[in-house]
């Protein structure tokens, strides 16, 4: 068979077999073609090797086969070259090497020569499908919106739904829950759904703390994908849900199993694993396995190599929490770096979680004013994004820094002196009113400052402002 004809015919044969009789049939066809071309010239073998690489489950093996195919493909086989580039691109993402812009550029160059590239196979589509899984949300959103708009204009509802599903996942990660839910509105009440739609619906329900919707996602069957992919998605979502409730043993159990599924699929990229690594590490710390958490942090930093803020920020949060038990000051400094790294990464839930851990660390260090600043910032963030799951954790942490909680740590005499000082009384006036010495007043006031995490009367006045207003209207106080 002439090379140009094989280049065009083989993908059509495999796709039609897959669509009509299933993936196993198309693999059988590929096996037959491979046997029949075993003694064929190298260019023909490279074309067949291209589709063998695509049918290979293990990402590293896929990358090896796709690379070998590219080296042997002739100029007369642009369709196979485009396919091999796409396979290699996705394989490199799977094994944690990031999104290769050089490969995308080569795909775009080939697309200018051929007219048989479906929109879901284009370089733009690969950018949309893969960029958000390496932390590049804006790049994915731009590509997917363009593709979705074009599919609608071309009256291709199924293709449009594919792009809409991935766009919903991007919006969920970016904290645009209303937009994500609107994109998936057509799936409500429909069963089964695609694994990608199930993942997006699960993320939305998890962030909204909607237990009913979350359970519906976990219980429904999926339309496409292997059993192992379905098991991974369910374990990952269940573990992420437990982590948001801070049920750490359940989170560790589920996320450990999800990680095992991901490894069996050859997925080493954290985004391809739904970013479960960081929650698994946090659960490991909580159940007394900081060494395991440290290894996860090291791996995230290795994959980032300083070039991916989302991974650096996540890794920093893990290291900051680990340091909290031995070196509180170092813990706070590391968590502040994590917040700085995540501030521009585009993942508001991860930024809120780092602010939450920073607020907790500052609270333990009795720096209550600073703790409230971090936690207030997290509360504003979760309010803007509608992330009720993390918002509940932030509210709980804020209660521990409230003036009521802080005042409970003071003795009755320290509280009396603190309120008098906050109203503007001098140490001499407080001493005379209490029939004690100025030195005693100053000592007790210093003790109150230390317990409240402040250093001045001005800070004391701000801290007790609400209580002073209440007491002003209460004669008995």
């Amino acid at each position: 068979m002439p090379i140009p004809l094989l280049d065009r015919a083989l993908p059509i044969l495999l796709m039609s077999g897959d669509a009509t009789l299933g993936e196993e049939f198309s693999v059988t066809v590929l096996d037959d073609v491979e046997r029949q071309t075993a003694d064929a010239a190298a260019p023909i073998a490279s074309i067949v090797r291209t589709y063998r690489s695509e049918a290979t489950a293990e990402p590293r093996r896929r990358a090896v086969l796709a690379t070998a195919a590219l080296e042997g493909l002739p100029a007369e086989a642009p369709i196979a070259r485009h396919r091999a580039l796409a396979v290699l691109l996705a394989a490199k993402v799977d094994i944690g090497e990031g999104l290769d812009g050089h490969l995308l550029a080569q795909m775009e160059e080939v697309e200018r020569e051929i007219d048989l590239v479906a929109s879901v196979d284009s370089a733009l589509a690969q950018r949309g499908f893969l960029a958000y899984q390496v932390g590049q949300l804006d790049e994915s959103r731009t590509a997917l919106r363009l593709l979705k708009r074009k599919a609608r204009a071309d009256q291709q509802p199924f293709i449009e739904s594919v792009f809409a599903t991935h766009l919903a996942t991007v919006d969920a990660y970016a904290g645009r829950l209303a937009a994500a839910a609107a994109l998936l509105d057509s799936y409500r009440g429909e069963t089964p759904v695609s694994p990608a739609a199930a993942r997006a619906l699960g993320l939305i329900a998890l962030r909204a703390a909607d237990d009913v919707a979350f359970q519906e996602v976990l219980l429904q069957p999926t339309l496409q994908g292997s059993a192992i992919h379905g098991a991974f998605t369910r374990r990952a979502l269940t573990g992420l849900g437990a982590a948001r409730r801070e049920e750490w043993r359940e989170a560790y159990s589920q996320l450990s199993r999800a990680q095992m599924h991901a490894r069996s699929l050859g997925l080493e990229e954290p985004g391809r694993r739904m970013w479960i690594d960081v929650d698994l590490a946090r659960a490991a710390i909580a159940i007394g396995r900081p060494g395991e958490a440290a290894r996860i942090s090291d791996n995230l930093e290795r994959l980032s190599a300083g070039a991916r803020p989302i991974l650096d920020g996540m890794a920093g949060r893990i290291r900051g929490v680990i340091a909290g038990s031995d070196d509180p000051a170092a813990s706070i400094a590391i968590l502040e770096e994590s917040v700085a790294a995540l501030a521009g990464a585009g993942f508001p839930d991860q930024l809120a979680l780092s602010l939450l851990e920073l607020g907790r660390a500052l609270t333990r260090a009795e720096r209550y004013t600073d703790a409230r600043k971090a936690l207030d910032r997290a509360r504003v963030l979760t309010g803007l994004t509608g992330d009720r799951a993390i918002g509940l954790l932030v509210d709980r942490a804020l209660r521990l820094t409230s003036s009521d909680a802080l005042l409970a740590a003071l003795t009755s005499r320290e509280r009396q002196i603190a309120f008098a000082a906050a109203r503007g009384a001098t140490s001499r006036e407080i001493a005379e009113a209490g029939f004690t010495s100025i030195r005693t007043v100053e000592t007790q006031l210093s003790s109150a400052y230390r317990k409240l995490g402040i250093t001045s009367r001005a800070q004391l006045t701000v801290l007790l402002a609400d209580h002073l207003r209440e007491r002003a209207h209460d004669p008995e106080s």
Side-chain angles (χ1 to χ4, degrees):
M1 179 181 292
I3 289 175
L5 182 57
L6 178 64
D7 186 45
R8 286 176 173 264
L10 184 55
I12 295 173
L13 175 63
L14 295 175
M15 285 188 292
S16 60
D18 188 38
T20 56
L21 297 174
E23 183 179 348
E24 290 185 5
F25 176 79
S26 62
V27 171
T28 301
V29 171
L30 181 60
D31 291 340
D32 289 341
V33 172
E34 200 165 26
R35 280 193 296 271
Q36 293 175 29
T37 58
D39 299 325
I44 291 178
S46 293
I47 293 174
V48 176
R49 190 179 294 118
T50 296
Y51 297 97
R52 173 58 65 193
S53 69
E54 186 175 17
T56 300
E58 206 284 312
R60 291 187 183 277
R61 180 61 179 161
R62 282 207 313 274
V64 169
L65 290 172
T67 301
L70 284 168
E71 291 173 353
L73 284 170
E76 306 98 302
I79 295 173
R81 176 169 293 279
H82 185 272
R83 191 72 236 142
L85 288 167
V87 171
L88 181 57
L89 179 75
K92 292 184 74 170
V93 169
D94 284 346
I95 62 181
E97 294 187 8
L99 190 61
D100 191 322
H102 182 60
L103 290 176
L104 280 169
Q106 289 184 65
M107 288 181 68
E108 291 168 350
E109 184 178 346
V110 174
E111 286 172 21
R112 288 192 283 269
E113 303 175 17
I114 55 179
D115 58 359
L116 289 179
V117 177
S119 59
V120 292
D121 295 327
S122 67
L124 186 61
Q126 301 317 301
R127 193 183 297 275
F129 295 151
L130 298 173
Y132 75 86
Q133 299 186 65
V134 297
Q136 300 171 16
L137 298 184
D138 289 341
E139 189 167 346
S140 265
R141 181 183 296 111
T142 299
L144 291 168
R145 289 178 68 180
L146 286 171
L147 290 160
K148 179 177 177 295
R149 192 178 304 128
K150 186 178 186 306
R152 171 167 290 190
D154 293 342
Q155 297 184 340
Q156 297 177 312
F158 175 75
I159 300 300
E160 182 185 358
S161 72
V162 171
F163 295 132
T165 296
H166 285 273
L167 184 56
T169 304
V170 174
D171 281 342
Y173 282 136
R176 298 161 52 91
L177 296 187
L183 285 165
L184 294 173
D185 191 58
S186 62
Y187 286 107
R188 297 192 184 283
E190 179 182 322
T191 185
V193 299
S194 71
R199 181 170 62 247
L201 288 165
L203 289 172
I204 294 168
L206 188 154
R207 282 161 171 70
D210 187 337
D211 292 337
V212 173
F214 192 65
Q215 290 302 317
E216 287 178 354
V217 173
L218 295 178
L219 293 174
Q220 66 184 340
T222 53
L223 179 64
Q224 308 162 10
S226 67
I228 190 71
H229 275 95
F232 163 73
T233 299
R234 285 179 172 80
R235 293 286 189 192
L237 287 172
T238 302
L240 292 171
R244 291 299 176 270
R245 298 188 301 275
E246 298 198 331
E247 297 172 357
W248 295 121
R249 291 198 176 277
E250 174 67 7
Y252 183 83
S253 174
Q254 296 293 340
L255 294 174
S256 294
R257 295 178 187 179
Q259 187 183 61
M260 289 174 59
H261 291 321
R263 285 175 176 165
S264 71
L265 293 167
L267 304 181
E268 299 178 29
E269 167 59 47
R272 289 283 282 137
R273 303 201 297 218
M274 294 177 62
W275 310 102
I276 65 171
D277 300 64
V278 68
D279 287 289
L280 175 59
R282 184 63 183 85
I285 296 168
I287 66 172
R289 299 186 178 186
E292 182 177 345
R295 287 191 292 275
I296 292 174
S297 178
D298 291 343
N299 185 56
L300 293 175
E301 290 182 334
R302 177 187 65 80
L303 292 173
S304 170
R308 297 167 66 181
I310 181 64
L311 297 186
D312 291 332
M314 289 176 168
R317 181 164 74 247
I318 296 168
R319 289 190 293 104
V321 175
I322 293 173
S325 58
D326 299 322
D327 192 341
S331 173
I332 290 170
I334 295 169
L335 288 168
E336 287 174 338
E337 291 175 0
S338 171
V339 168
L342 291 168
F347 286 73
D349 63 321
Q350 296 301 324
L351 175 56
L353 286 170
S354 284
L355 286 166
L356 171 62
E357 295 293 3
L358 175 59
R360 287 170 168 171
L362 289 165
T363 299
R364 289 191 294 271
E366 299 183 345
R367 291 172 53 182
Y368 298 110
T369 300
D370 291 334
R372 282 193 295 278
K373 288 179 181 177
L375 293 170
D376 281 339
R377 184 179 169 190
R379 182 164 61 177
V380 169
L381 195 59
T382 57
L384 289 173
T385 61
D387 196 325
R388 190 165 179 268
I390 298 178
L392 292 171
L393 299 179
V394 172
D395 288 343
R396 188 189 309 164
L398 271 167
R399 285 195 291 273
L400 298 178
T401 69
S402 69
S403 55
D404 287 328
L406 301 179
L407 288 171
L410 305 185
T411 65
S412 175
R413 186 61 178 151
E414 287 170 346
R415 281 196 295 275
Q416 291 175 353
I417 291 174
F419 275 109
R423 283 194 296 268
T426 66
S427 295
R428 179 179 295 279
E429 290 169 340
I430 297 172
E432 291 174 352
F435 302 100
T436 187
S437 68
I438 295 176
R439 183 174 182 179
T440 298
V441 169
E442 294 288 355
T443 298
Q444 292 180 318
L445 195 56
S446 294
S447 176
Y449 284 176
R450 179 179 56 78
K451 292 179 180 179
L452 294 173
I454 58 178
T455 58
S456 69
R457 289 195 181 215
Q459 291 175 330
L460 181 66
T461 301
V462 172
L463 179 64
L464 300 182
D466 290 340
H467 287 273
L468 292 175
R469 281 193 291 271
E470 291 174 5
R471 290 183 175 218
H473 301 290
D474 184 358
E476 293 185 4
S477 66

